[in-house]
Amino acid sequence: MAETASGQPGPVIGNGADRNGRFVQRKFGELLKAHRTKRGATQRQLADLSTVSIRAIRDLESGRAHRPRRDTVRLIADGLGLRGRERADFEAAGYHVAAGDLRLRCADPAPPPTPLDALLGRDEEVAAVHDLLAAGSHRLVTITGLGGVGKSRLAQEVAGGVHESGGVLVLWSSERNPLLRTGGPGDLAVLIGDRPALLVLDGHEPDRVRLDDLAVLLRECRGLRVLATAPAPFGLPGERVFPLTPLAVPEPGTDDPVALAAVPSVRLLVREVRQVRPGFTLDRTTAADVAALCRRLDGIPAALEAAACWFLVYEPAAVLEHVRTDPFALTADHLPGLRDTLDSAVRGLDAAEVSLLARLTGLDAGWSVVDVAGLTGIPAAAGARFVRRLVQHGLIRPAGPDRTRFRTLDLVNALGLDHRLAV
């Protein structure tokens, strides 16, 4: 019960909480009557508004009926004009939710996490992922890529846009708050129903998600779309994989400050540097070092953010020298798993693939799928599959705007591919 202005208990419409913070769920009949009374409608008027028989409404309010059909609950909610939290609580009560379970806690789902800064250089990617989800033909879209490349940030931007547009329920599930594992597909299916909804599975390892549950959820909720971020695809039928490559980096030899200021990786690095070193400018004295830093760190946002912190105590040339000596040591504080992530991805290749990757690394101008076939003599289709796998695992990045030529990450080179071949 809630308190009135006089301090006396007043009516509670919906699921409230007692003084200890525990959820208190009202019986559906009581909740129905409270909403009807609040609206000022008679049972007959509600029957007309909802197209549910007056007898059904009477039986529910009196307690003679305890298990309304799902369609009945929705029609009554429509007739009452319920929206948002009130509607979710009303439907949850009608579906007999146990106190404190997932449906109660998600009845008024929070919006996606609010980003702390603007997303730079990802306009095309945001539009592409949004279009994939909106098209309807791809109900599961998985953003893959190297750790630190910005998968979660991209998902935030897409989910935030969907949330702000209205009309779509957005649920955010992370490793810390795993909605699917906590409640199971049945609970989420009750919450989502037939409504348009977007479920974001952020940072879930494919081997830690119940893929059968995810498949059931997609099958039962026709209006649901799932956006996942993961190191690798889930492998479900109908999944659309969206590999997220690093930000574009300056071409070698580019040191004009005006031209560099338009390159996404440079823009990000300069923005982050100014947070620790206000007044930093991209000019003739700093441009070449900044451009080289972006190339050496492969345009990976988290790596650039880690490097920017060192501008508090170093000049750009000194930061660059540290990156050339050991990029993983410089980024360890902010991106501790970078070396292990890359090492794990390379270990997933067989010896022949590592050998091929090492040969491709020596092509300074970048290389294409055609080059792979020419170097190895393997069929073009097999070479294309190999290149696609390298992109999905974040070991290579586009070498130009046409995105058909590639370069091996400098950070992969820092692992020592030649040494691996010799072992």
Side-chain angles (χ1 to χ4, degrees), residues 1-72:
M1 303 292 283
E3 288 189 350
T4 64
S6 63
Q8 298 302 313
V12 174
I13 296 181
N15 293 303
D18 64 15
R19 293 180 181 177
N20 296 320
R22 295 173 302 202
F23 282 97
V24 179
Q25 185 179 6
R26 305 187 64 190
K27 293 181 180 179
F28 180 70
E30 296 175 2
L31 192 58
L32 167 57
K33 185 175 181 179
H35 277 299
R36 180 178 61 77
T37 302
K38 180 184 178 183
R39 184 179 174 86
T42 65
Q43 291 178 338
R44 169 67 67 184
Q45 289 170 330
L46 179 56
D48 292 339
L49 289 169
S50 64
T51 69
V52 174
S53 72
I54 187 173
R55 178 177 179 179
I57 293 174
R58 286 173 179 167
D59 287 348
L60 287 168
E61 288 191 1
S62 66
R64 286 193 294 271
H66 299 284
R67 295 183 177 276
R69 296 173 55 184
R70 182 173 298 185
D71 290 343
T72 300

Side-chain angles (χ1 to χ4, degrees), residues 255-257 260 277 280-291 311 315-318 320:
D255 58 5
D256 175 57
L260 288 174
R277 193 168 173 174
F280 176 82
T281 57
L282 187 67
D283 54 28
R284 290 290 179 184
T285 63
T286 60
D289 292 330
V290 166
F311 278 68
E315 292 298 324
L320 176 60

Side-chain angles (χ1 to χ4, degrees), residues 284-309:
R284 290 290 179 184
T285 63
T286 60
D289 292 330
V290 166
L293 267 172
C294 291
R295 287 192 295 271
R296 297 291 290 191
L297 293 175
D298 295 302
I300 298 173
L304 295 173
E305 292 168 5
C309 296

Side-chain angles (χ1 to χ4, degrees), residues 79-151:
L80 291 167
L82 299 180
R83 298 289 184 272
R85 173 64 182 261
E86 281 190 334
R87 184 181 183 107
D89 282 354
F90 184 80
E91 291 183 353
Y95 302 152
H96 303 283
V97 184
D101 84 358
L102 179 67
R103 285 164 288 185
L104 275 176
R105 290 188 285 109
C106 293
D108 187 18
T114 302
L116 299 178
D117 47 37
L119 183 61
L120 296 178
R122 295 296 196 192
D123 291 348
E124 292 182 358
E125 288 89 341
V126 170
V129 173
H130 185 275
D131 289 347
L132 284 173
L133 293 168
S137 55
H138 302 290
R139 297 181 58 207
L140 170 60
V141 177
T142 305
I143 304 172
T144 64
L146 189 66
V149 79
K151 300 185 294 295

Side-chain angles (χ1 to χ4, degrees), residues 387-407:
V387 174
R388 183 180 62 183
R389 192 150 68 93
L390 294 179
V391 172
Q392 289 179 346
H393 287 79
L395 294 172
I396 60 177
R397 57 180 170 82
D402 62 359
R403 305 181 74 85
T404 61
R405 299 189 66 80
F406 303 90
R407 286 195 182 97

Side-chain angles (χ1 to χ4, degrees), residues 170-338:
V170 178
L171 297 171
W172 187 275
S173 175
S174 65
E175 281 291 284
R176 292 184 178 181
N177 182 27
L179 298 184
L180 189 59
R181 289 208 308 260
T182 301
D187 290 334
L188 282 175
V190 167
L191 170 64
I192 296 168
D194 293 331
R195 289 183 290 176
L198 174 65
L199 171 63
V200 182
L201 301 176
D202 180 41
H204 291 267
E205 297 282 347
D207 59 353
R208 298 181 65 184
V209 172
R210 296 172 182 169
L211 298 182
D212 290 344
D213 288 353
L214 183 56
V216 168
L217 191 63
L218 285 166
R219 185 170 62 249
E220 291 190 359
C221 302
R222 301 290 182 89
L224 175 65
R225 303 287 183 271
V226 177
L227 176 62
T229 67
F234 287 94
L236 284 175
E239 177 183 22
R240 177 61 183 266
V241 180
F242 187 88
L244 185 62
T245 56
L247 293 172
V249 300
E251 288 297 318
T254 305
D255 58 5
D256 175 57
V258 176
L260 288 174
V263 180
S265 59
V266 174
R267 291 173 59 201
L268 177 63
L269 179 59
V270 171
R271 183 186 72 181
E272 296 300 312
V273 168
R274 286 173 178 165
Q275 293 183 14
V276 299
R277 193 168 173 174
F280 176 82
T281 57
L282 187 67
D283 54 28
R284 290 290 179 184
T285 63
T286 60
D289 292 330
V290 166
L293 267 172
C294 291
R295 287 192 295 271
R296 297 291 290 191
L297 293 175
D298 295 302
I300 298 173
L304 295 173
E305 292 168 5
C309 296
W310 292 103
F311 278 68
L312 182 65
V313 294
Y314 287 127
E315 292 298 324
V319 178
L320 176 60
E321 185 57 34
H322 280 289
V323 168
R324 285 172 172 163
T325 302
D326 188 350
F328 303 112
L330 189 85
T331 59
D333 290 345
H334 290 78
L335 199 55
L338 181 58

